[in-house]
Amino acid sequence: MRVQQTLEDSIVNDRPTDDRTSEHGTTGPTHPVNLSAFPGQFARTRRFSLGVPRHFTGSPDGRRVLFVRTGSGTDPVGRLWQYEDGAERVLADPALLVGDAAEALPEEERLRRERARERSAGVVSYAADDAARLVAFALSGALWAVRTDGGAPFPVPAAGPVVDPRPSPDGRSIAYVSGRSLHVVTLAGEDRQLARAEGPEVSYGLAEYVAAESMGRLRGYWWAPDSRHLLVARVDTSRVARRYLADPADPARPPRTIRYPSAGTANADVTVQLVALDGGRVEVTWDRTAYEYLTEAGWDAHGPFLAVQSRDQRTVRLLAVDPATGATELRHERTDPAWVELIPGTPARTASGALVVPEDDGDTRYLAVGGRRVTPEGLQLRAVLAVEGERVLFTASEDPLETHVWSHEPGHGNRRLSRGPGRFTGTGRGGTVVVEGQTPHGNEVSVLRDGRTAAGITSLAETPAVTPRPVFLTLGQRELRAALHLPSWHREGSARLPVLLDPYGGPGLQVVGRGRGWFTCVSQWFAEQGFAVLVADGRGTPGRGPAWEKAVHGDQLGPALEDQVDAVRAAAARYPDLDLSRVAIRGWSFGGFLAAAAVLHRPDVFHAAVAGAPPTDQRLYDTHWKERFLGHPEAHPDAYERSSLAGHGHLLTRPLLLVHGLADDNVAAAHTLRFSAELLAAGRPHSVLPLPGATHLPADDVINEQLLHFQRDFLRDALSAVGV
């Protein structure tokens, strides 16, 4: 998170024109706006994600970098690449291996990709040995490997459809999950089943639903450095409630059964075992009654470890594991009266054993190494990217509009490695740091060697047909960070513009920043349709410190909605062309919830809304995510009532469009369908657009293209009727 230039009032008055954008935007002539081309481009590029290099892994000497990238900005097939000495080389091309990009995936792998919001096919993920010489990946359920020092990819015999293959550190074997059981196979094809699922509700080596969806833990097993042992999670979902996802558009197709732990209900039973290649197994023991969540695990040079969390999420403990007995010992504890925020990449340990953890104090999230804070007040830790020797690579923010890559090393202090405006992340090894950034110009990847830029890795993503032209604002008493998108053709004072708020507004995601993301392009496209589009990050969003994040504890609706109201009023006070008699709001997921709440509770401000996949009843959402903010529903029923739309449908007096994928296993379609029934029973007119076969983020190109047109037309019609 960061520290950059402070926005002054003079910047607020800097209106965008045809040949330049506002602060930190592209200067010089911009390419013509192609409004008709954008929706189709947005869809076929999978939100401009295709062609972007990602998933970087460095070699121990820092000379080579592995990564995944599709063939172009519209090609959905991922390929495995290697960067070395400034040159890029394809290591594995699925078209040459299986001949068809279409994939018949095992269910567990399909779910893993959905949890990771994966939008491509082919090679989408991989794992390498410690030397980054052997790489394993799955294609259409088959196990493949390739050596990075030459030679073609080769198939490795497996017991069945393969999920999450990972080579041992020494590169002599590959672990994988098949049929919910953990296997290890040598490159010669000698396969051993190390942990067999005892029944259909048990799995070894896979992350349970809340771990993958709400904790950010996508893994379920970890190799030991000696390549002879593994730390393995066993998940038993037998006590977790069932949900059935049917496809009403295909009544002959049987429903899909999933295990979904909604707020207040039982979680999966997660245990951990130490498994040896020779068949030995040791159970890891800790107080699972008090600490039922496994938030992280690993095995480094100092031994295996677990991070476990209490059900109320107010305590997280780091436990060292005795590899001989499975006994655990407390090494560190974090507590918080609201909840302990889980920071990616932590806990970790340096070569000397110094513990790397976040530490919240006041309104700053610090990086602590070896029990000492090493970052200053106001620099907000976002994630730990890598730990090598005593060096810690991390991301942090001084300015909420930017995220930068930093390095901490004893004797050298903190150094910022990323340059220019944007949001950056990366990884590092062997003196080389890969910095990937979302800048005002798009996605950029730089390779830094010993702190100096050596080269870049090419992004093949398409340039959007619409150029974002945000004016960055700081609004109101709470200094809300916002971006205003005006039509490129608009001249100040020439006309008053209807206003469209386009927020997410919830935990875990910032949408206002000095980088060109797909969401900024969509906001600008709506602006080119004749709206003044305002995007604001309110309380509860990340990047402004623990107090800002936790201002929504016990009430996820009130502060978030209040901030959107304050933002639009403050923006209109500065920009008289914003017409507050015609204000709409749109959003997806939490943003959809916020949009629907706006027309329910503040019809005096908001005159129409589009709500995509809105969680209307917070009790229907999952345990870990929802109880983090609202507590257990039995203990805090009032928090769930005031943070839900359910029960308040009778308040609707404004046009509302509800959009929902009928195959959504994150925010179930029941949220929208039940709320629609409530609105109907109360005699409140509204519109519902069901999306057959669509999950939480629709993947169908036609749907994604037409959804933009549909929302625009709905909002235009709704606002044109205001006052009639």
Side-chain angles (χ1 to χ4, degrees):
M1 331 159 89
R2 57 250 154 230
V3 72
Q4 274 283 327
Q5 279 183 281
T6 302
L7 293 172
E8 303 291 347
D9 287 342
S10 61
I11 294 173
V12 169
N13 293 325
D14 183 17
R15 305 292 200 272
T17 64
D18 282 344
D19 62 354
R20 61 180 172 84
T21 57
S22 55
E23 187 199 21
H24 297 312
T26 304
T27 58
T30 60
H31 62 76
V33 173
N34 192 340
L35 299 183
S36 61
F38 179 79
Q41 183 194 39
F42 172 75
R44 69 173 178 269
T45 61
R46 311 287 167 85
R47 299 181 175 89
F48 302 100
S49 65
L50 302 181
V52 177
R54 53 203 176 96
H55 299 324
F56 300 96
T57 301
S59 62
D61 61 6
R63 297 191 58 182
R64 297 176 294 110
V65 177
L66 305 173
F67 64 97
V68 170
R69 185 180 60 201
T70 68
S72 73
T74 56
D75 178 4
V77 180
R79 296 159 175 82
L80 178 66
W81 295 77
Q82 180 171 257
Y83 164 94
E84 185 174 10
D85 295 331
E88 301 171 8
R89 176 169 64 93
V90 176
L91 295 179
D93 184 342
L96 303 178
L97 304 179
V98 297
D100 188 352
E103 294 183 279
L105 298 174
E107 179 70 2
E108 294 87 354
E109 177 63 15
R110 187 193 65 77
L111 291 173
R112 275 175 53 84
R113 294 190 183 190
E114 195 167 299
R115 295 286 81 78
R117 306 291 185 256
E118 181 56 60
R119 300 186 182 100
S120 61
V123 180
V124 301
S125 62
Y126 66 91
D129 64 358
D130 190 60
R133 289 297 183 186
L134 178 73
V135 185
F137 54 94
L139 278 178
S140 302
L143 177 57
W144 288 81
V146 64
R147 297 191 183 279
T148 61
D149 53 2
F154 55 93
V156 180
V162 169
V163 177
D164 196 22
R166 294 181 178 274
S168 57
D170 63 10
R172 295 181 179 180
S173 56
I174 301 172
Y176 66 92
V177 178
S178 184
R180 304 182 313 282
S181 300
L182 182 67
H183 294 251
V184 170
V185 61
T186 66
L187 300 185
E190 180 186 348
D191 194 290
R192 285 166 285 178
Q193 188 180 71
L194 294 185
R196 181 179 182 180
E198 295 89 349
E201 302 295 343
V202 176
S203 65
Y204 285 91
L206 296 175
E208 72 277 19
Y209 179 89
V210 295
E213 190 66 52
S214 299
M215 300 179 199
R217 176 173 64 80
L218 297 174
R219 297 180 58 177
Y221 72 91
W222 301 263
W223 277 103
D226 66 5
S227 298
R228 298 195 300 270
H229 300 81
L230 299 100
L231 189 66
V232 183
R234 178 186 184 273
V235 175
D236 184 346
T237 61
S238 57
R239 65 184 186 182
V240 181
R242 290 182 176 87
R243 285 187 176 180
Y244 303 93
L245 297 183
D247 184 358
D250 186 2
R253 185 178 181 180
R256 180 164 62 95
T257 303
I258 64 171
R259 293 291 194 174
Y260 189 99
S262 54
T265 68
N267 282 304
D269 183 27
V270 180
T271 56
V272 178
Q273 298 178 2
L274 297 153
V275 180
L277 295 189
D278 62 9
R281 291 166 70 168
V282 175
E283 187 85 12
V284 178
T285 59
W286 78 93
D287 186 352
R288 294 192 296 112
T289 301
Y291 303 96
E292 63 180 85
Y293 289 126
L294 175 68
T295 64
E296 191 53 89
W299 200 326
D300 59 18
H302 306 286
F305 64 89
L306 309 178
V308 297
Q309 187 179 43
S310 58
R311 176 73 181 247
D312 66 12
Q313 301 188 48
R314 294 176 179 175
T315 304
V316 171
R317 287 185 160 190
L318 171 63
L319 305 177
V321 180
D322 185 329
T325 67
T328 55
E329 180 181 352
L330 177 64
R331 292 296 172 85
H332 186 264
E333 182 176 270
R334 296 173 62 206
T335 61
D336 190 277
W339 72 83
V340 175
E341 187 72 15
L342 303 178
I343 303 302
T346 65
R349 293 181 285 201
T350 69
S352 67
L355 186 61
V356 180
V357 293
E359 186 174 311
D360 292 359
D361 187 9
D363 202 20
T364 298
R365 176 161 296 132
Y366 298 90
L367 173 67
V369 179
R372 183 176 65 88
R373 295 174 185 173
V374 299
T375 50
E377 182 179 0
L379 181 63
Q380 307 291 351
L381 175 68
R382 304 298 290 266
V384 170
L385 305 175
V387 177
E388 185 178 24
E390 300 306 310
R391 185 189 194 194
V392 180
L393 198 69
F394 63 99
T395 53
S397 300
E398 297 164 298
D399 172 358
L401 299 184
E402 299 189 13
T403 306
H404 284 282
V405 176
W406 295 74
S407 171
H408 171 78
E409 194 169 3
H412 298 278
N414 299 319
R415 289 191 303 147
R416 203 184 88 176
L417 302 181
S418 49
R419 296 289 179 262
R423 294 204 185 277
F424 298 88
T425 184
T427 190
R429 197 177 184 199
T432 293
V433 177
V434 178
V435 175
E436 48 182 316
Q438 192 178 83
T439 76
H441 308 284
N443 295 97
E444 299 177 1
V445 179
S446 300
V447 179
L448 280 60
R449 183 69 177 168
D450 298 324
R452 298 183 178 88
T453 301
I457 294 177
T458 306
S459 173
L460 303 178
E462 286 198 359
T463 299
V466 171
T467 302
R469 309 165 60 84
V471 178
F472 294 108
L473 308 173
T474 300
L475 301 173
Q477 288 185 333
R478 286 181 292 277
E479 299 185 336
L480 301 168
R481 299 314 197 266
L484 179 63
H485 299 258
L486 297 173
S488 60
W489 43 263
H490 178 71
R491 292 296 177 268
E492 182 179 358
S494 63
R496 303 199 72 199
L497 299 171
V499 182
L500 174 62
L501 275 72
D502 197 11
Y504 178 77
L509 180 63
Q510 287 176 282
V511 291
V512 180
R514 296 188 181 98
R516 191 185 72 196
W518 65 264
F519 36 84
T520 62
C521 296
V522 169
S523 293
Q524 187 65 45
W525 181 81
F526 274 100
E528 300 297 346
Q529 309 302 309
F531 297 94
V533 179
L534 180 67
V535 187
D537 286 334
R539 283 169 288 177
T541 57
R544 289 188 61 176
W548 185 263
E549 290 176 349
K550 294 172 183 178
V552 298
H553 187 234
D555 184 359
Q556 282 200 278
L557 176 54
L561 181 54
E562 183 181 9
D563 286 345
Q564 296 302 314
V565 172
D566 288 355
V568 70
R569 286 177 170 171
R574 295 186 178 186
Y575 287 79
D577 287 353
L578 273 59
D579 185 355
L580 292 189
S581 70
R582 295 178 294 161
V583 178
I585 182 171
R586 65 178 288 273
W588 202 269
S589 195
F590 189 95
F593 157 75
L594 190 54
V599 289
L600 284 181
H601 295 288
R602 296 304 305 267
D604 57 318
V605 177
F606 300 98
H607 307 103
V610 174
T616 62
D617 185 346
Q618 306 298 357
R619 288 177 179 267
L620 292 178
Y621 210 75
D622 78 63
T623 52
H624 193 271
W625 188 256
K626 198 49 57 180
E627 292 174 17
R628 179 184 311 176
F629 311 108
L630 302 180
H632 196 286
E634 292 182 2
H636 304 281
D638 53 332
Y640 283 79
E641 180 181 358
R642 65 173 162 261
S643 299
S644 293
L645 307 181
H648 303 282
H650 63 282
L651 299 175
L652 182 66
T653 58
R654 298 294 192 183
L656 170 63
L657 170 63
L658 300 168
V659 186
H660 218 121
L662 297 182
D664 192 337
D665 64 356
N666 180 357
V667 181
H671 284 270
T672 284
L673 298 178
R674 291 183 183 182
F675 188 59
S676 174
E678 178 185 329
L679 293 171
L680 184 63
R684 303 301 181 184
H686 62 286
S687 301
V688 178
L689 178 61
L691 305 176
T695 55
H696 190 56
L697 292 176
D700 185 271
D701 291 353
V702 174
I703 288 177
N704 283 321
E705 177 178 359
Q706 295 304 321
L707 263 179
L708 289 177
H709 295 296
F710 198 93
Q711 293 176 76
R712 176 201 61 192
D713 295 345
F714 175 86
L715 294 170
R716 278 178 173 172
D717 292 345
L719 292 183
S720 68
V722 172
V724 176

